[in-house]
Amino acid sequence: MTDSYRRSGDEMPQDRPYAYGDDDHGHNGHGQYGYGQAVPPPPSYTPGTPGMPGPAPHEPRRTVRRPIALIAAVALASGLIGGGSAALLAGATRHVQQDSAGTPLVNAGKTSGSGVSGVAKAVSPAIVEIKSRTASGESTGSGVVLTGNGEIVTNNHVVAGARTVRVTFSDGSRKTAKVVGTDPDKDLALIKVNGAKGLTHATLGDSDKIAVGDGVVAIGSPEGLTGSVTSGIVSALNRDVTVPKDEGQGQQGDPGDRGGWPFEFGGNQYNGDTGSSKTSYKAIQTDASLNPGNSGGALINMQGQIIGINSAMYSPSSASSSTAGSVGLGFAIPINTVKADLDSLRGGGSGGGNSGV
């Protein structure tokens, strides 16, 4: 801003007559006002009036418009850059998801496709039915696909002593598999589908982070009903469950076995005799319904992650097929136990491997 009064010794500007009045008010005869005289009030005419001195009215407005135009241009450029960045990030996310063959994580808080239905839709393609034929008959169980090239984890008692192993996928297709390794002490086994590639595989969770009361979903093939889904909660943790590890002992599907896999808990036997060769492990207890054929299938949290491999169940009676079934006492091997044993299973396991055709 300019000063309101003329400084001592300064000459008044000669090119702004409208700002200082005309020659009729205090003019000294030389186009200037004398020392100490106040600056006269502004003229009565509007600057820029035709015939009068001063800049055109549009010039001050042009000075105002320039920064506005500049700000608008910067805002527009920023918007384009921001939009481009968002599009790039979205594209990268889609690319990663398309390249992944794993089951997607499920947001149970969504208003659509959430809860049990969302988990079932996401994980079912990674759960298979397993039929293994032994010298004493045929055993039916379930399995969880771990890798796109056909590695599948299941219970040892599902494939123990198997001569042939056949896998049925959720889309109905069937393939043969071989037993890679077994661990009778943990009731785990690893099989591999012959010539498989690009299979949808499961996402493994962290069983150390689950809590009693957490919602869970079980998927398997009870009584050969492939892809059956049940749900419930984690009802207890670290149950000391004892199961047999002799091959052929209590195989699901064996003639006369209608009560499910025999197991011991608290010194008592359930669903038949566990035999003399047995093993114990810390299990997740769930009230999600498990039935013969669920063994080796998945226990899943509400984010679509595998937290356990279903392995045992209690049935109220092993004598009558009409009363046999789940009463809400099922047990699963924690998935962290499985992850810790994978390298050993890939190398044949503590029980060695045998080749299903």
Side-chain angles (χ1 to χ4, degrees), residues 142 166 235 238 336:
S142 306
R166 184 173 294 274
S235 49
N238 299 317
N336 286 2

Side-chain angles (χ1 to χ4, degrees), residues 12 44 52 103 135 149 151 163 175 228 244 293 297 300 322 329:
M12 298 298 293
S44 57
M52 304 301 266
T103 57
N149 65 353
E151 285 186 334
R163 296 178 176 179
K175 291 189 177 294
S228 294
I300 313 155
S322 61
L329 287 173

Side-chain angles (χ1 to χ4, degrees), residues 226-266:
T226 306
S228 294
V229 177
T230 58
S231 65
I233 62 168
V234 173
S235 49
L237 296 170
N238 299 317
R239 292 296 199 197
D240 289 309
V241 175
T242 300
V243 296
K245 59 181 181 179
D246 286 345
E247 63 180 60
Q249 175 74 32
Q251 290 270 321
Q252 294 186 33
D254 284 350
D257 174 29
R258 303 298 300 174
W261 181 252
F263 73 97
E264 293 180 12
F265 177 74

